[in-house]
Amino acid sequence: MDIHTDFAVIGGSYAGMSAALQLARARRQVTVIDAGVRRNRSVDEAGSTSHGFLSRDGVAPAQLWREARAQLLQYPTVRWIEGQAEQARVLPSGELAFEVAGQLLVARRVVLATGVRDALPAVPGLAERWGKSVFHCPYCHGYEVGGGAIGVIAASPLAHHHGLMLPDWGPTTLFLNGAYVPSESDLADFARRGTQIEATPVLRIDGFADVVLADGRTVPLQGLFTQPRTSPASPVAQQLGCTLADGPMGPYVQVDAMQQTSVANVFACGDGARAAGSIALAVADGAMAGVAAHRASML
Ligand SMILES: Cc1cc2nc3c(=O)[nH]c(=O)nc-3n(C[C@H](O)[C@H](O)[C@H](O)COP(=O)(O)OP(=O)(O)OC[C@H]3O[C@@H](n4cnc5c(N)ncnc54)[C@H](O)[C@@H]3O)c2cc1C
């Protein structure tokens, strides 16, 4: 049987639940579809914690998610479906339709909160340490490195940004690894910041965060940072015809200040709708998307 709902939220993590909360509090019927594959799941797998979200600093990502979901499900107009929304399309009526576990879900308005996927540089040992001793965001995990020696594994010219920032968190070595050729002016920037440059290719990562170089040397470090390439975790935005923008880390759904996409009645929020994200930013975007979708239903 088809499922009809006023509002569908695709992606039930921080951004999506924040949008759904506003709609639930407006006493509207909202259906959340979630496949349960959060971007920061490797932090939970490593037994580590999330940082930088006001009042919830140092809490495990899964605990944040569980508590938020329990509060959201207190609202009687919220329906939660575990599963993947697929084959998105705009119906002739203007409603939005998705396939979910063999059923058709039809909504008048949709909030896309589907997040991004990270593609890491192909350095042996790096992916296994993602979320444990390898990160991309210094604001999220730099402090915990504790002032110890930090490595940056270059994956793109964005390594320049990392190489300039990270000395504020600890003595920094930038491993170029053939992925980034600094200009004279970049090298002057690194010298000013005290960033060491290592041009020998990286063979693999060993131990906690030890960089093994092609010439046989091993550089032990307290933590590593790199620049993943990101892409939408789901094709639903493209299937609906939403315009994408090109960000420095990868493409994301273009939205206006009210989180409205280029397609009528489709809003987007969180990592999938901004150039770079965090939980705090996802929650903020989600709140705006929920309010904007509610407002649109009155126009
Ligand atoms: C290693 C690592 C560490 C991090 N540490 C921090 C930190 O300490 N502090 C911080 O603020 N941020 C941190 N982040 C960033 C944080 O994870 C993201 O900013 C945040 O998860 C974005 O929330 P979101 O709701 O936009 O997307 P996500 O949390 O990625 O959730 C997207 C949800 O949508 C679902 N979904 C996708 N497609 C579909 C579909 N078609 N149908 C149904 N469901 C779908 C997914 O399964 C998932 O549940 C970290 C990220 C990484 C990679």
Side-chain angles (χ1 to χ4, degrees):
M1 209 175 64
D2 297 352
I3 302 166
H4 288 263
T5 184
D6 284 348
F7 299 91
V9 174
I10 314 297
S13 181
Y14 314 106
M17 284 196 285
S18 179
L21 184 61
Q22 312 309 314
L23 292 162
R25 292 189 54 73
R27 299 177 180 271
R28 292 305 190 101
Q29 186 194 44
V30 51
T31 303
V32 181
I33 319 294
D34 185 45
V37 188
R38 279 176 291 105
R39 186 180 182 194
N40 56 3
R41 60 195 180 282
S42 62
V43 176
D44 286 305
E45 288 157 14
S48 193
T49 49
S50 165
H51 299 275
F53 184 28
L54 199 64
S55 87
R56 311 311 312 275
D57 195 36
V59 176
Q63 188 181 337
L64 281 177
W65 179 86
R66 271 196 305 273
E67 288 179 28
R69 183 172 179 271
Q71 290 180 358
L72 180 64
L73 293 182
Q74 294 291 319
Y75 290 85
T77 55
V78 177
R79 175 178 189 172
W80 188 282
I81 300 176
E82 276 176 28
Q84 188 88 24
E86 295 170 307
Q87 297 178 46
R89 56 199 179 276
V90 183
L91 300 178
S93 62
E95 293 170 300
L96 297 314
F98 302 84
E99 306 285 336
V100 183
Q103 285 186 297
L104 187 70
L105 173 81
V106 180
R108 290 173 191 274
R109 282 168 190 84
V110 166
V111 176
L112 302 177
T114 47
V116 296
R117 193 171 279 152
D118 292 291
L120 297 171
V123 174
L126 196 80
E128 296 92 306
R129 290 166 178 78
W130 182 234
K132 183 180 182 189
S133 56
V134 179
F135 306 99
H136 69 294
C137 169
Y139 298 99
C140 298
H141 298 283
Y143 194 88
E144 283 59 46
V145 174
I150 295 173
V152 173
I153 307 286
S156 77
L158 281 177
H160 176 238
H161 184 51
H162 264 161
L164 287 192
M165 292 171 89
L166 278 156
D168 279 355
W169 281 273
T172 301
T173 304
L174 169 57
F175 299 89
L176 301 177
N177 204 27
Y180 159 54
V181 181
S183 66
E184 285 303 314
S185 124
D186 291 353
L187 290 171
D189 289 340
F190 295 138
R192 182 170 47 79
R193 294 287 287 153
T195 304
Q196 300 293 315
I197 304 298
E198 178 57 67
T200 310
V202 174
L203 217 50
R204 63 176 186 279
I205 313 300
D206 264 357
F208 183 69
D210 300 345
V211 176
V212 181
L213 297 171
D215 60 10
R217 282 179 295 144
T218 296
V219 186
L221 297 153
Q222 294 294 313
L224 290 167
F225 287 81
T226 193
Q227 312 86 48
R229 180 86 186 149
T230 57
S231 59
S234 164
V236 288
Q238 291 107 305
Q239 289 168 354
L240 292 172
C242 297
T243 301
L244 299 190
D246 263 331
M249 292 169 70
Y252 61 92
V253 180
Q254 188 173 297
V255 291
D256 67 12
M258 299 290 283
Q259 306 297 137
Q260 166 79 59
T261 70
S262 59
V263 175
N265 297 320
V266 180
F267 300 81
C269 52
D271 281 12
R274 50 171 42 257
S278 71
I279 295 174
L281 295 170
V283 168
D285 292 350
M288 178 56 88
V291 167
H294 179 224
R295 174 177 170 270
S297 72
M298 296 167 231
L299 300 175

